Amino acid sequence: MLREIKLATLRLLKGAGIFDLVGDSRWRRQRLLILCYHGTSLDDEHRWRPGLYMDPAVLEQRLEMLKHRNYNVLPLGESLQKLRAGTLPPRSVAITFDDGTYDFYKRAYPIVKKYGFPVTVYLTTYYSDLQRPVFNLITSYMLWLKRGQVILDGRELGLTSPLDLRTEAARHGIVQNLMDLAEREAMTGSEKDLLAARLAEFLGVDYKALVAKRVVQIMNASELKEVSEGGVDVQLHTHRHRTPEDEALFRREIHENRERIQALISKSATHFCYPSGVYRSTFLPWLAQEQVLSATTCDAGLATRESEILLLPRYVDTQSRTATDFESWLCGVGDLLAVRRKARQKYIPYQTELQP
Ligand SMILES: [Zn+2]
């Protein structure tokens, strides 16, 4: 109901010309909208995780709107310099994709190229090296493929309770149990992949076919080289998609991530994105010491000159957002109407999803 009221309000404002008025205002000109995307479906992933994956047709509609409504899409680094200097062009937008999944290469990149927009990919590197599906995601995806079933005995997989695949919560519980099992046994990435293969066999899913399709995998060296040479800006997202609270471990994540990116594309990465949007104030001096120039969160908002450069807000665009909601954020109305909550970080979708 609330959602409907909000949409009706937005339509009304749009119909009254308020979107254009705000979009062309001095207020909007002093602000930058940083868009955040994750996966673009190879197949049906947006039905499995509408908060994480988007149908390529929807992504194309978004970029079409940017073009059609005369938004100025700038490279991330340049847009932040201009934000600071107060020299942003009207209707400024920067586009970012988190994680660097293979589906970016296969689905999003051709669309991005078609529109000629500069984009940044925040790359997590562990699974780029390993070249196997991300364990937590592939197990979750396979359980979803078999949704509706109840399997009475999970002992073969080291799980005791019956496997109830009928609800998202129950499936999430099984993924959690598998992760705990992998942790207890101190499994390596390859061992976890064998566990995922055993789960597939148990469920009657063709694992080889999923691996060959590259579902929930990260781009490999040649794909990364190709997108980087094609103008995609590759930046930091930690090596293992985690932000340890211990300074040495946190900084190791940045070092390893940066080293891998340097080795892969021969460029130095200086912009950072918090995995799963999780941050703490203690991280800021550590990032500054690592010469990180900017860091983005998943907190909704437009960035201003006063924004903390290591806590920049973004608009997380997903399959479930309507075109009107998206457009309201482009022009700035969405930001004006947003309810600011004291406790931020409400976007913590799958905190550990991409961890090895
Ligand atoms: Zn991520």
Side-chain angles (χ1 to χ4, degrees), residues 152-196:
L152 289 177
D153 192 355
R155 269 178 299 185
E156 204 182 305
L157 290 165
L159 304 173
T160 46
S161 53
L163 305 186
D164 181 352
L165 311 184
R166 289 174 302 180
T167 66
E168 166 68 32
R171 292 192 297 270
H172 188 72
I174 300 169
V175 173
Q176 196 58 52
N177 287 340
L178 288 166
M179 282 165 61
D180 293 345
L181 174 70
E183 180 145 0
R184 267 201 314 277
E185 313 256 318
M187 289 186 189
T188 62
S190 303
E191 285 166 344
K192 284 203 275 191
D193 189 57
L194 290 175
L195 178 60

mmCIF file of all heavy atoms in Angstrom, residues 152-196:
data_model
loop_
_atom_site.group_PDB
_atom_site.id
_atom_site.type_symbol
_atom_site.label_atom_id
_atom_site.label_comp_id
_atom_site.label_asym_id
_atom_site.label_seq_id
_atom_site.Cartn_x
_atom_site.Cartn_y
_atom_site.Cartn_z
ATOM 1 N N LEU A 152 14.206 -35.530 2.647
ATOM 2 C CA LEU A 152 14.135 -35.942 4.052
ATOM 3 C C LEU A 152 15.489 -36.121 4.720
ATOM 4 O O LEU A 152 15.640 -35.848 5.887
ATOM 5 C CB LEU A 152 13.290 -37.217 4.171
ATOM 6 C CG LEU A 152 11.793 -36.961 3.927
ATOM 7 C CD1 LEU A 152 11.013 -38.265 3.977
ATOM 8 C CD2 LEU A 152 11.230 -35.964 4.937
ATOM 9 N N ASP A 153 16.457 -36.574 3.974
ATOM 10 C CA ASP A 153 17.721 -36.910 4.630
ATOM 11 C C ASP A 153 18.894 -36.189 3.973
ATOM 12 O O ASP A 153 19.176 -36.400 2.796
ATOM 13 C CB ASP A 153 17.926 -38.429 4.545
ATOM 14 C CG ASP A 153 19.054 -38.866 5.463
ATOM 15 O OD1 ASP A 153 19.707 -37.997 6.070
ATOM 16 O OD2 ASP A 153 19.271 -40.081 5.557
ATOM 17 N N GLY A 154 19.538 -35.314 4.754
ATOM 18 C CA GLY A 154 20.674 -34.570 4.213
ATOM 19 C C GLY A 154 22.005 -35.084 4.721
ATOM 20 O O GLY A 154 23.023 -34.422 4.556
ATOM 21 N N ARG A 155 22.002 -36.295 5.342
ATOM 22 C CA ARG A 155 23.231 -36.778 5.989
ATOM 23 C C ARG A 155 24.379 -36.991 5.010
ATOM 24 O O ARG A 155 25.537 -36.817 5.344
ATOM 25 C CB ARG A 155 22.961 -38.077 6.746
ATOM 26 C CG ARG A 155 22.575 -37.818 8.205
ATOM 27 C CD ARG A 155 22.258 -39.082 8.919
ATOM 28 N NE ARG A 155 21.126 -39.770 8.305
ATOM 29 C CZ ARG A 155 20.565 -40.864 8.798
ATOM 30 N NH1 ARG A 155 21.021 -41.430 9.880
ATOM 31 N NH2 ARG A 155 19.525 -41.420 8.187
ATOM 32 N N GLU A 156 24.008 -37.352 3.817
ATOM 33 C CA GLU A 156 25.019 -37.585 2.774
ATOM 34 C C GLU A 156 25.912 -36.350 2.582
ATOM 35 O O GLU A 156 27.057 -36.446 2.201
ATOM 36 C CB GLU A 156 24.292 -37.902 1.472
ATOM 37 C CG GLU A 156 25.114 -38.708 0.491
ATOM 38 C CD GLU A 156 24.309 -38.926 -0.780
ATOM 39 O OE1 GLU A 156 23.171 -39.444 -0.676
ATOM 40 O OE2 GLU A 156 24.812 -38.554 -1.844
ATOM 41 N N LEU A 157 25.318 -35.188 2.870
ATOM 42 C CA LEU A 157 26.059 -33.932 2.697
ATOM 43 C C LEU A 157 26.624 -33.404 4.010
ATOM 44 O O LEU A 157 27.127 -32.300 4.074
ATOM 45 C CB LEU A 157 25.125 -32.866 2.104
ATOM 46 C CG LEU A 157 24.726 -33.084 0.662
ATOM 47 C CD1 LEU A 157 23.548 -32.194 0.310
ATOM 48 C CD2 LEU A 157 25.895 -32.790 -0.264
ATOM 49 N N GLY A 158 26.496 -34.201 5.060
ATOM 50 C CA GLY A 158 26.979 -33.730 6.361
ATOM 51 C C GLY A 158 25.961 -32.849 7.066
ATOM 52 O O GLY A 158 26.277 -32.144 8.012
ATOM 53 N N LEU A 159 24.712 -32.844 6.573
ATOM 54 C CA LEU A 159 23.649 -32.061 7.207
ATOM 55 C C LEU A 159 22.663 -33.029 7.845
ATOM 56 O O LEU A 159 22.368 -34.073 7.273
ATOM 57 C CB LEU A 159 22.927 -31.200 6.154
ATOM 58 C CG LEU A 159 23.802 -30.255 5.336
ATOM 59 C CD1 LEU A 159 22.980 -29.610 4.231
ATOM 60 C CD2 LEU A 159 24.422 -29.186 6.213
ATOM 61 N N THR A 160 22.167 -32.678 9.004
ATOM 62 C CA THR A 160 21.327 -33.636 9.721
ATOM 63 C C THR A 160 19.831 -33.464 9.474
ATOM 64 O O THR A 160 19.112 -34.419 9.241
ATOM 65 C CB THR A 160 21.590 -33.555 11.250
ATOM 66 O OG1 THR A 160 21.589 -32.182 11.604
ATOM 67 C CG2 THR A 160 22.915 -34.188 11.617
ATOM 68 N N SER A 161 19.355 -32.233 9.487
ATOM 69 C CA SER A 161 17.908 -32.032 9.394
ATOM 70 C C SER A 161 17.406 -32.263 7.966
ATOM 71 O O SER A 161 18.192 -32.246 7.026
ATOM 72 C CB SER A 161 17.573 -30.613 9.850
ATOM 73 O OG SER A 161 18.360 -29.714 9.127
ATOM 74 N N PRO A 162 16.094 -32.433 7.797
ATOM 75 C CA PRO A 162 15.557 -32.555 6.434
ATOM 76 C C PRO A 162 15.816 -31.254 5.656
ATOM 77 O O PRO A 162 15.864 -30.175 6.248
ATOM 78 C CB PRO A 162 14.049 -32.745 6.650
ATOM 79 C CG PRO A 162 13.843 -32.958 8.092
ATOM 80 C CD PRO A 162 15.056 -32.492 8.825
ATOM 81 N N LEU A 163 15.977 -31.368 4.358
ATOM 82 C CA LEU A 163 16.232 -30.179 3.544
ATOM 83 C C LEU A 163 14.909 -29.691 2.959
ATOM 84 O O LEU A 163 14.365 -30.299 2.054
ATOM 85 C CB LEU A 163 17.228 -30.496 2.425
ATOM 86 C CG LEU A 163 18.573 -31.087 2.833
ATOM 87 C CD1 LEU A 163 19.483 -31.210 1.617
ATOM 88 C CD2 LEU A 163 19.247 -30.240 3.901
ATOM 89 N N ASP A 164 14.424 -28.603 3.512
ATOM 90 C CA ASP A 164 13.157 -28.033 3.069
ATOM 91 C C ASP A 164 13.463 -26.903 2.091
ATOM 92 O O ASP A 164 14.008 -25.876 2.467
ATOM 93 C CB ASP A 164 12.406 -27.501 4.297
ATOM 94 C CG ASP A 164 11.050 -26.917 3.927
ATOM 95 O OD1 ASP A 164 10.767 -26.784 2.713
ATOM 96 O OD2 ASP A 164 10.278 -26.601 4.849
ATOM 97 N N LEU A 165 13.140 -27.127 0.829
ATOM 98 C CA LEU A 165 13.502 -26.134 -0.197
ATOM 99 C C LEU A 165 12.318 -25.252 -0.582
ATOM 100 O O LEU A 165 12.323 -24.607 -1.617
ATOM 101 C CB LEU A 165 14.035 -26.844 -1.449
ATOM 102 C CG LEU A 165 15.104 -27.920 -1.231
ATOM 103 C CD1 LEU A 165 15.601 -28.443 -2.563
ATOM 104 C CD2 LEU A 165 16.260 -27.390 -0.415
ATOM 105 N N ARG A 166 11.300 -25.235 0.291
ATOM 106 C CA ARG A 166 10.070 -24.546 -0.112
ATOM 107 C C ARG A 166 10.089 -23.042 0.116
ATOM 108 O O ARG A 166 9.366 -22.321 -0.547
ATOM 109 C CB ARG A 166 8.859 -25.158 0.616
ATOM 110 C CG ARG A 166 8.544 -26.568 0.089
ATOM 111 C CD ARG A 166 7.469 -27.222 0.902
ATOM 112 N NE ARG A 166 7.854 -27.302 2.312
ATOM 113 C CZ ARG A 166 7.104 -27.831 3.263
ATOM 114 N NH1 ARG A 166 5.913 -28.307 2.967
ATOM 115 N NH2 ARG A 166 7.530 -27.883 4.499
ATOM 116 N N THR A 167 10.881 -22.571 1.047
ATOM 117 C CA THR A 167 10.901 -21.116 1.282
ATOM 118 C C THR A 167 12.325 -20.570 1.186
ATOM 119 O O THR A 167 13.299 -21.295 1.399
ATOM 120 C CB THR A 167 10.358 -20.750 2.679
ATOM 121 O OG1 THR A 167 11.270 -21.268 3.659
ATOM 122 C CG2 THR A 167 8.975 -21.302 2.920
ATOM 123 N N GLU A 168 12.393 -19.275 0.897
ATOM 124 C CA GLU A 168 13.682 -18.585 0.792
ATOM 125 C C GLU A 168 14.453 -18.707 2.113
ATOM 126 O O GLU A 168 15.651 -18.980 2.126
ATOM 127 C CB GLU A 168 13.417 -17.113 0.434
ATOM 128 C CG GLU A 168 14.590 -16.156 0.590
ATOM 129 C CD GLU A 168 15.721 -16.398 -0.398
ATOM 130 O OE1 GLU A 168 15.437 -16.826 -1.528
ATOM 131 O OE2 GLU A 168 16.888 -16.163 -0.016
ATOM 132 N N ALA A 169 13.716 -18.541 3.233
ATOM 133 C CA ALA A 169 14.366 -18.592 4.548
ATOM 134 C C ALA A 169 14.946 -19.969 4.816
ATOM 135 O O ALA A 169 16.077 -20.096 5.310
ATOM 136 C CB ALA A 169 13.372 -18.207 5.633
ATOM 137 N N ALA A 170 14.184 -21.012 4.466
ATOM 138 C CA ALA A 170 14.664 -22.382 4.705
ATOM 139 C C ALA A 170 15.873 -22.672 3.823
ATOM 140 O O ALA A 170 16.855 -23.275 4.272
ATOM 141 C CB ALA A 170 13.537 -23.379 4.434
ATOM 142 N N ARG A 171 15.809 -22.235 2.581
ATOM 143 C CA ARG A 171 16.950 -22.462 1.666
ATOM 144 C C ARG A 171 18.173 -21.702 2.174
ATOM 145 O O ARG A 171 19.291 -22.219 2.134
ATOM 146 C CB ARG A 171 16.593 -22.020 0.235
ATOM 147 C CG ARG A 171 15.537 -22.886 -0.418
ATOM 148 C CD ARG A 171 15.421 -22.596 -1.917
ATOM 149 N NE ARG A 171 14.996 -21.243 -2.222
ATOM 150 C CZ ARG A 171 13.725 -20.861 -2.373
ATOM 151 N NH1 ARG A 171 12.753 -21.747 -2.251
ATOM 152 N NH2 ARG A 171 13.421 -19.611 -2.644
ATOM 153 N N HIS A 172 17.947 -20.497 2.670
ATOM 154 C CA HIS A 172 19.059 -19.707 3.211
ATOM 155 C C HIS A 172 19.694 -20.429 4.404
ATOM 156 O O HIS A 172 20.917 -20.438 4.551
ATOM 157 C CB HIS A 172 18.573 -18.316 3.624
ATOM 158 C CG HIS A 172 19.673 -17.391 4.008
ATOM 159 N ND1 HIS A 172 20.535 -16.857 3.065
ATOM 160 C CD2 HIS A 172 20.087 -16.945 5.213
ATOM 161 C CE1 HIS A 172 21.431 -16.108 3.704
ATOM 162 N NE2 HIS A 172 21.186 -16.147 5.004
ATOM 163 N N GLY A 173 18.843 -21.067 5.223
ATOM 164 C CA GLY A 173 19.340 -21.833 6.370
ATOM 165 C C GLY A 173 20.252 -22.975 5.926
ATOM 166 O O GLY A 173 21.276 -23.248 6.567
ATOM 167 N N ILE A 174 19.891 -23.626 4.838
ATOM 168 C CA ILE A 174 20.722 -24.740 4.333
ATOM 169 C C ILE A 174 22.072 -24.207 3.841
ATOM 170 O O ILE A 174 23.124 -24.781 4.123
ATOM 171 C CB ILE A 174 19.986 -25.499 3.195
ATOM 172 C CG1 ILE A 174 18.674 -26.077 3.717
ATOM 173 C CG2 ILE A 174 20.885 -26.595 2.622
ATOM 174 C CD1 ILE A 174 17.755 -26.616 2.633
ATOM 175 N N VAL A 175 22.027 -23.072 3.129
ATOM 176 C CA VAL A 175 23.290 -22.467 2.660
ATOM 177 C C VAL A 175 24.171 -22.145 3.870
ATOM 178 O O VAL A 175 25.374 -22.426 3.863
ATOM 179 C CB VAL A 175 23.024 -21.184 1.826
ATOM 180 C CG1 VAL A 175 24.333 -20.472 1.479
ATOM 181 C CG2 VAL A 175 22.257 -21.525 0.547
ATOM 182 N N GLN A 176 23.543 -21.596 4.900
ATOM 183 C CA GLN A 176 24.290 -21.256 6.115
ATOM 184 C C GLN A 176 24.926 -22.502 6.728
ATOM 185 O O GLN A 176 26.099 -22.492 7.118
ATOM 186 C CB GLN A 176 23.329 -20.586 7.114
ATOM 187 C CG GLN A 176 24.009 -19.836 8.242
ATOM 188 C CD GLN A 176 24.946 -18.739 7.754
ATOM 189 O OE1 GLN A 176 24.552 -17.895 6.967
ATOM 190 N NE2 GLN A 176 26.204 -18.776 8.193
ATOM 191 N N ASN A 177 24.159 -23.614 6.775
ATOM 192 C CA ASN A 177 24.696 -24.875 7.313
ATOM 193 C C ASN A 177 25.871 -25.373 6.479
ATOM 194 O O ASN A 177 26.853 -25.879 7.021
ATOM 195 C CB ASN A 177 23.601 -25.953 7.350
ATOM 196 C CG ASN A 177 22.603 -25.696 8.457
ATOM 197 O OD1 ASN A 177 22.896 -24.960 9.411
ATOM 198 N ND2 ASN A 177 21.419 -26.277 8.365
ATOM 199 N N LEU A 178 25.752 -25.246 5.178
ATOM 200 C CA LEU A 178 26.850 -25.683 4.297
ATOM 201 C C LEU A 178 28.096 -24.813 4.526
ATOM 202 O O LEU A 178 29.220 -25.313 4.530
ATOM 203 C CB LEU A 178 26.420 -25.613 2.828
ATOM 204 C CG LEU A 178 25.409 -26.680 2.383
ATOM 205 C CD1 LEU A 178 24.810 -26.315 1.028
ATOM 206 C CD2 LEU A 178 26.063 -28.064 2.304
ATOM 207 N N MET A 179 27.856 -23.507 4.724
ATOM 208 C CA MET A 179 28.985 -22.601 4.986
ATOM 209 C C MET A 179 29.657 -22.943 6.317
ATOM 210 O O MET A 179 30.888 -22.954 6.421
ATOM 211 C CB MET A 179 28.505 -21.148 5.025
ATOM 212 C CG MET A 179 28.273 -20.568 3.648
ATOM 213 S SD MET A 179 27.299 -19.049 3.737
ATOM 214 C CE MET A 179 28.348 -18.012 4.725
ATOM 215 N N ASP A 180 28.829 -23.250 7.316
ATOM 216 C CA ASP A 180 29.373 -23.626 8.631
ATOM 217 C C ASP A 180 30.186 -24.906 8.515
ATOM 218 O O ASP A 180 31.265 -25.034 9.091
ATOM 219 C CB ASP A 180 28.238 -23.826 9.648
ATOM 220 C CG ASP A 180 27.524 -22.519 9.965
ATOM 221 O OD1 ASP A 180 28.067 -21.448 9.631
ATOM 222 O OD2 ASP A 180 26.412 -22.566 10.540
ATOM 223 N N LEU A 181 29.638 -25.848 7.768
ATOM 224 C CA LEU A 181 30.327 -27.128 7.557
ATOM 225 C C LEU A 181 31.692 -26.890 6.905
ATOM 226 O O LEU A 181 32.722 -27.411 7.349
ATOM 227 C CB LEU A 181 29.452 -28.023 6.658
ATOM 228 C CG LEU A 181 30.039 -29.345 6.191
ATOM 229 C CD1 LEU A 181 30.150 -30.316 7.365
ATOM 230 C CD2 LEU A 181 29.160 -29.965 5.089
ATOM 231 N N ALA A 182 31.696 -26.050 5.858
ATOM 232 C CA ALA A 182 32.950 -25.741 5.150
ATOM 233 C C ALA A 182 33.952 -25.076 6.088
ATOM 234 O O ALA A 182 35.148 -25.347 6.033
ATOM 235 C CB ALA A 182 32.653 -24.840 3.954
ATOM 236 N N GLU A 183 33.438 -24.222 6.971
ATOM 237 C CA GLU A 183 34.317 -23.526 7.911
ATOM 238 C C GLU A 183 34.878 -24.492 8.955
ATOM 239 O O GLU A 183 36.070 -24.461 9.258
ATOM 240 C CB GLU A 183 33.546 -22.383 8.576
ATOM 241 C CG GLU A 183 34.418 -21.634 9.551
ATOM 242 C CD GLU A 183 34.128 -20.146 9.591
ATOM 243 O OE1 GLU A 183 33.247 -19.675 8.855
ATOM 244 O OE2 GLU A 183 34.806 -19.481 10.389
ATOM 245 N N ARG A 184 33.986 -25.336 9.496
ATOM 246 C CA ARG A 184 34.422 -26.337 10.491
ATOM 247 C C ARG A 184 35.536 -27.215 9.948
ATOM 248 O O ARG A 184 36.491 -27.552 10.616
ATOM 249 C CB ARG A 184 33.240 -27.237 10.873
ATOM 250 C CG ARG A 184 32.466 -26.802 12.086
ATOM 251 C CD ARG A 184 31.673 -27.941 12.704
ATOM 252 N NE ARG A 184 30.918 -28.775 11.786
ATOM 253 C CZ ARG A 184 29.703 -28.476 11.300
ATOM 254 N NH1 ARG A 184 29.124 -27.351 11.631
ATOM 255 N NH2 ARG A 184 29.079 -29.292 10.476
ATOM 256 N N GLU A 185 35.388 -27.601 8.699
ATOM 257 C CA GLU A 185 36.358 -28.499 8.072
ATOM 258 C C GLU A 185 37.510 -27.724 7.432
ATOM 259 O O GLU A 185 38.343 -28.316 6.767
ATOM 260 C CB GLU A 185 35.668 -29.339 6.991
ATOM 261 C CG GLU A 185 34.366 -29.956 7.436
ATOM 262 C CD GLU A 185 34.464 -31.437 7.745
ATOM 263 O OE1 GLU A 185 35.120 -32.140 6.973
ATOM 264 O OE2 GLU A 185 33.890 -31.855 8.769
ATOM 265 N N ALA A 186 37.522 -26.420 7.622
ATOM 266 C CA ALA A 186 38.551 -25.536 7.062
ATOM 267 C C ALA A 186 38.808 -25.837 5.584
ATOM 268 O O ALA A 186 39.938 -26.024 5.141
ATOM 269 C CB ALA A 186 39.842 -25.647 7.870
ATOM 270 N N MET A 187 37.726 -25.889 4.819
ATOM 271 C CA MET A 187 37.832 -26.241 3.392
ATOM 272 C C MET A 187 38.464 -25.117 2.578
ATOM 273 O O MET A 187 38.208 -23.942 2.831
ATOM 274 C CB MET A 187 36.437 -26.523 2.822
ATOM 275 C CG MET A 187 35.824 -27.804 3.311
ATOM 276 S SD MET A 187 34.261 -28.086 2.432
ATOM 277 C CE MET A 187 33.617 -29.462 3.372
ATOM 278 N N THR A 188 39.239 -25.501 1.592
ATOM 279 C CA THR A 188 39.782 -24.524 0.646
ATOM 280 C C THR A 188 38.680 -24.202 -0.378
ATOM 281 O O THR A 188 37.648 -24.888 -0.416
ATOM 282 C CB THR A 188 40.976 -25.121 -0.118
ATOM 283 O OG1 THR A 188 40.493 -26.254 -0.863
ATOM 284 C CG2 THR A 188 42.091 -25.567 0.816
ATOM 285 N N GLY A 189 38.934 -23.239 -1.215
ATOM 286 C CA GLY A 189 37.967 -22.885 -2.253
ATOM 287 C C GLY A 189 37.644 -24.080 -3.149
ATOM 288 O O GLY A 189 36.485 -24.322 -3.503
ATOM 289 N N SER A 190 38.661 -24.864 -3.494
ATOM 290 C CA SER A 190 38.456 -26.027 -4.375
ATOM 291 C C SER A 190 37.662 -27.112 -3.652
ATOM 292 O O SER A 190 36.814 -27.775 -4.268
ATOM 293 C CB SER A 190 39.793 -26.608 -4.821
ATOM 294 O OG SER A 190 40.538 -25.607 -5.452
ATOM 295 N N GLU A 191 37.921 -27.275 -2.360
ATOM 296 C CA GLU A 191 37.162 -28.279 -1.594
ATOM 297 C C GLU A 191 35.695 -27.883 -1.480
ATOM 298 O O GLU A 191 34.801 -28.725 -1.565
ATOM 299 C CB GLU A 191 37.781 -28.459 -0.197
ATOM 300 C CG GLU A 191 39.073 -29.268 -0.229
ATOM 301 C CD GLU A 191 39.890 -29.170 1.060
ATOM 302 O OE1 GLU A 191 39.630 -28.253 1.886
ATOM 303 O OE2 GLU A 191 40.797 -29.988 1.228
ATOM 304 N N LYS A 192 35.468 -26.588 -1.317
ATOM 305 C CA LYS A 192 34.085 -26.113 -1.253
ATOM 306 C C LYS A 192 33.384 -26.332 -2.596
ATOM 307 O O LYS A 192 32.197 -26.634 -2.650
ATOM 308 C CB LYS A 192 34.043 -24.633 -0.858
ATOM 309 C CG LYS A 192 34.305 -24.443 0.616
ATOM 310 C CD LYS A 192 33.748 -23.148 1.132
ATOM 311 C CE LYS A 192 34.681 -22.015 0.923
ATOM 312 N NZ LYS A 192 34.250 -20.813 1.641
ATOM 313 N N ASP A 193 34.156 -26.189 -3.653
ATOM 314 C CA ASP A 193 33.578 -26.419 -4.978
ATOM 315 C C ASP A 193 33.164 -27.884 -5.133
ATOM 316 O O ASP A 193 32.144 -28.187 -5.750
ATOM 317 C CB ASP A 193 34.590 -26.008 -6.053
ATOM 318 C CG ASP A 193 33.962 -26.031 -7.426
ATOM 319 O OD1 ASP A 193 32.944 -25.326 -7.608
ATOM 320 O OD2 ASP A 193 34.448 -26.773 -8.294
ATOM 321 N N LEU A 194 33.969 -28.791 -4.558
ATOM 322 C CA LEU A 194 33.605 -30.215 -4.596
ATOM 323 C C LEU A 194 32.323 -30.460 -3.793
ATOM 324 O O LEU A 194 31.477 -31.266 -4.198
ATOM 325 C CB LEU A 194 34.749 -31.081 -4.030
ATOM 326 C CG LEU A 194 36.003 -31.168 -4.902
ATOM 327 C CD1 LEU A 194 37.114 -31.936 -4.183
ATOM 328 C CD2 LEU A 194 35.687 -31.826 -6.252
ATOM 329 N N LEU A 195 32.186 -29.744 -2.676
ATOM 330 C CA LEU A 195 30.965 -29.858 -1.860
ATOM 331 C C LEU A 195 29.752 -29.358 -2.659
ATOM 332 O O LEU A 195 28.687 -29.981 -2.648
ATOM 333 C CB LEU A 195 31.127 -29.077 -0.548
ATOM 334 C CG LEU A 195 29.923 -29.044 0.400
ATOM 335 C CD1 LEU A 195 29.507 -30.446 0.846
ATOM 336 C CD2 LEU A 195 30.223 -28.183 1.636
ATOM 337 N N ALA A 196 29.939 -28.255 -3.387
ATOM 338 C CA ALA A 196 28.853 -27.733 -4.233
ATOM 339 C C ALA A 196 28.480 -28.758 -5.306
ATOM 340 O O ALA A 196 27.300 -28.957 -5.610
ATOM 341 C CB ALA A 196 29.272 -26.416 -4.873
#
